[in-house]
Amino acid sequence: MGLLEINFYKLPVNTLVGADWKTFKQMTKGQEIASNKRLKYCLTKGICRLLSLVAPVQNRRFRKQLANKPLEHDPVFILGHWRSGTTFVHNVLSCDQHFGYCTTYQTVFPHFMMFGQGFFKTFVRWIMPSKRPTDNMELIPDQPQEEEFAIQNMCPYNYYDFWIFPKRMKEFAHKYLTFDEATEEEKQAFHAAFDKLMRISLWNTNGTQFLSKNPPHTARVKEILKSYPNAKFIYLVRNPYTVFNSTHSFFTNTIKPLELHSISEEEMDQNILDVYNIMDEHYMADKALIPEGNLIEVKFEDFEADAMGMTEKIYRELSLPGFEEARAAMDKYVGGKRGYKKNKYDYPRELIDKVNEHWGHVIERYGYERL
């Protein structure tokens, strides 16, 4: 149990402590910092500056050992809006040792992977809660995690900047979620950061194929295919009423220890509704670009009901190797989750009306019951 098991929301710094100094400066330049967040900002900035002095050690090792090493396989991407079950699917597939992945530790300290990991990992274990406060999912430094948090500390052109500056959530969506309004320089910087993260992740986990779980990639299929034309994609969809309710809870709670200014709950809800549609529109437009046999769409409710059967189907339809070798480890993980207590949600009429108005087309497309 970490010291922040109870005090998670009073975290004195945010995750930018692990950013390189150039990224921190560019990302925070000209941004509004609320008066009650100044101390958090200053502490985060001070630690980031100090750690950045030794971060170049990894850059040298990366250039020497990994930068020019050819990738054995294009990555596998788990797509889907937040709270669509991507974490569970990621954790199941990560039991296959041929996959490599970004770890929770790496999301905070991506520049301290090839040296100093033992020291910083001890620090992370000391302060980190054992479960995510929002949904009771386990939180362990070495467990698989979505890489957008890590890329945020490696590149200033990142959608997850909204966790720090939520008032600009929609602006960041159009620029760095979809890259529709990003410059070519910004796109190239993001691609370079992702490629570097992927190579270090494979080195760190001894994997041969990178397994990505990153909701923002749902809106980036076209961009992803430019770099990885034979990438495989697993798209998850979940009951939109549950997704909205769960996303509201997740964003509202998680953003508190990270933000340097605040927005109202009403603004957050509208952003969630709008960004969902942005992601859905881009995915639906771009999925036709994916080569035949490289995409499978899965209802999370089906996966949850028969995780092993659906996992075998994913391997078969995407022609992925290694299912039989990984079956026992996957089955053990899935068995350990039986009895896991999920959050229970009520669907008040106001929520139902919002979802029907904004996401009704998704409800109909995937055959969910309209409330």
Side-chain angles (χ1 to χ4, degrees):
M1 179 183 292
L3 291 181
L4 298 177
E5 193 77 44
I6 298 175
N7 266 334
F8 179 76
Y9 301 107
K10 297 182 180 179
L11 185 63
V13 295
N14 64 32
T15 52
L16 292 183
V17 292
D20 63 88
W21 186 235
K22 181 180 179 181
T23 293
F24 183 92
K25 286 196 302 180
Q26 287 186 244
M27 182 182 155
T28 58
K29 182 179 179 181
Q31 299 283 7
E32 173 190 345
I33 310 294
S35 59
N36 64 337
K37 307 290 184 180
R38 294 293 304 180
L39 179 59
K40 181 185 293 262
Y41 168 73
C42 290
L43 286 172
T44 301
K45 180 179 180 180
I47 295 173
C48 173
R49 186 69 184 104
L50 182 64
L51 295 180
S52 290
L53 296 176
V54 292
V57 174
Q58 174 166 286
N59 289 334
R60 290 193 291 270
R61 294 186 180 183
F62 174 77
R63 287 193 295 268
K64 183 177 180 180
Q65 299 180 35
L66 303 178
N68 298 313
K69 185 178 180 180
L71 295 173
E72 294 186 45
H73 308 282
D74 279 3
V76 175
F77 292 89
I78 300 172
L79 308 178
H81 191 274
W82 298 267
R83 319 307 299 149
S84 293
T86 55
T87 295
F88 184 47
V89 174
H90 193 211
N91 287 347
V92 172
L93 268 61
S94 295
C95 294
D96 183 340
Q97 294 185 0
H98 107 271
F99 283 127
Y101 47 81
C102 176
T103 65
T104 299
Y105 164 81
Q106 189 176 2
T107 63
V108 182
F109 294 112
H111 303 289
F112 297 92
M113 295 295 296
M114 301 183 75
F115 87 105
Q117 189 171 160
F119 171 80
F120 287 104
K121 196 178 290 181
T122 300
F123 172 73
V124 169
R125 288 195 186 99
W126 182 56
I127 67 170
M128 189 175 69
S130 59
K131 295 181 179 180
R132 296 196 305 199
T134 53
D135 59 6
N136 294 318
M137 285 291 286
E138 60 196 359
L139 199 58
I140 303 168
D142 289 323
Q143 88 179 116
Q145 189 56 264
E146 60 191 70
E147 63 267 17
E148 194 85 359
F149 285 110
I151 299 173
Q152 182 187 42
N153 280 346
M154 303 169 69
C155 170
Y157 316 120
N158 185 281
Y159 178 59
Y160 274 10
D161 292 356
F162 87 82
W163 290 109
I164 314 298
F165 303 110
K167 289 182 180 179
R168 301 184 64 187
M169 186 175 182
K170 290 284 290 297
E171 176 189 343
F172 291 145
H174 291 300
K175 293 190 73 174
Y176 308 133
L177 175 65
T178 66
F179 291 115
D180 285 347
E181 298 178 7
T183 66
E184 284 304 314
E185 180 183 2
E186 290 170 338
K187 292 178 186 179
Q188 290 173 14
F190 183 92
H191 281 293
F194 177 70
D195 184 78
K196 181 177 182 180
L197 174 138
M198 183 170 58
R199 292 170 184 274
I200 291 175
S201 297
L202 291 170
W203 169 87
N204 181 57
T205 56
N206 295 311
T208 58
Q209 185 170 25
F210 186 71
L211 180 65
S212 164
K213 189 277 290 194
N214 199 46
H217 285 333
T218 308
R220 301 172 180 153
V221 169
K222 183 167 63 175
E223 281 295 320
I224 289 169
L225 290 171
K226 290 178 182 178
S227 296
Y228 312 104
N230 198 39
K232 312 277 189 175
F233 297 89
I234 304 162
Y235 176 73
L236 285 164
V237 63
R238 189 182 189 184
N239 188 310
Y241 301 108
T242 302
V243 168
F244 179 82
N245 211 4
S246 187
T247 303
H248 168 89
S249 175
F250 174 55
F251 280 17
T252 301
N253 289 305
T254 304
I255 209 166
K256 295 302 179 185
L258 303 178
E259 65 184 8
L260 293 178
H261 63 224
S262 303
I263 62 172
S264 69
E265 190 169 321
E266 292 75 17
E267 288 177 289
M268 177 60 75
D269 281 355
Q270 190 59 53
N271 284 341
I272 292 170
L273 292 166
D274 292 343
V275 168
Y276 183 103
N277 281 332
I278 290 171
M279 292 173 69
D280 179 67
E281 289 168 6
H282 277 73
Y283 170 74
M284 293 301 295
D286 294 345
K287 72 176 186 176
L289 302 173
I290 300 173
E292 185 177 355
N294 284 5
L295 168 67
I296 182 171
E297 297 185 336
V298 177
K299 273 189 173 183
F300 179 65
E301 291 83 0
D302 294 338
F303 191 93
E304 193 173 35
D306 182 13
M308 292 304 298
M310 290 303 299
T311 299
E312 185 174 11
K313 181 179 180 180
I314 288 169
Y315 271 70
R316 183 174 64 252
E317 294 202 8
L318 295 182
S319 300
L320 294 172
F323 175 74
E324 289 303 327
E325 293 81 355
R327 182 195 288 271
M330 290 176 175
D331 195 45
K332 181 179 179 181
Y333 177 81
V334 171
K337 297 301 141 187
R338 294 191 180 102
Y340 161 71
K341 294 181 179 179
K342 298 188 297 180
N343 288 337
K344 295 182 179 179
Y345 300 107
D346 295 322
Y347 298 142
R349 189 71 243 175
E350 182 182 4
L351 179 151
I352 292 171
D353 290 343
K354 285 181 179 179
V355 173
N356 285 341
E357 178 185 355
H358 293 272
W359 301 351
H361 57 292
V362 177
I363 295 171
E364 294 175 4
R365 182 193 304 149
Y366 293 104
Y368 288 103
E369 181 181 357
R370 183 184 284 264
L371 301 181

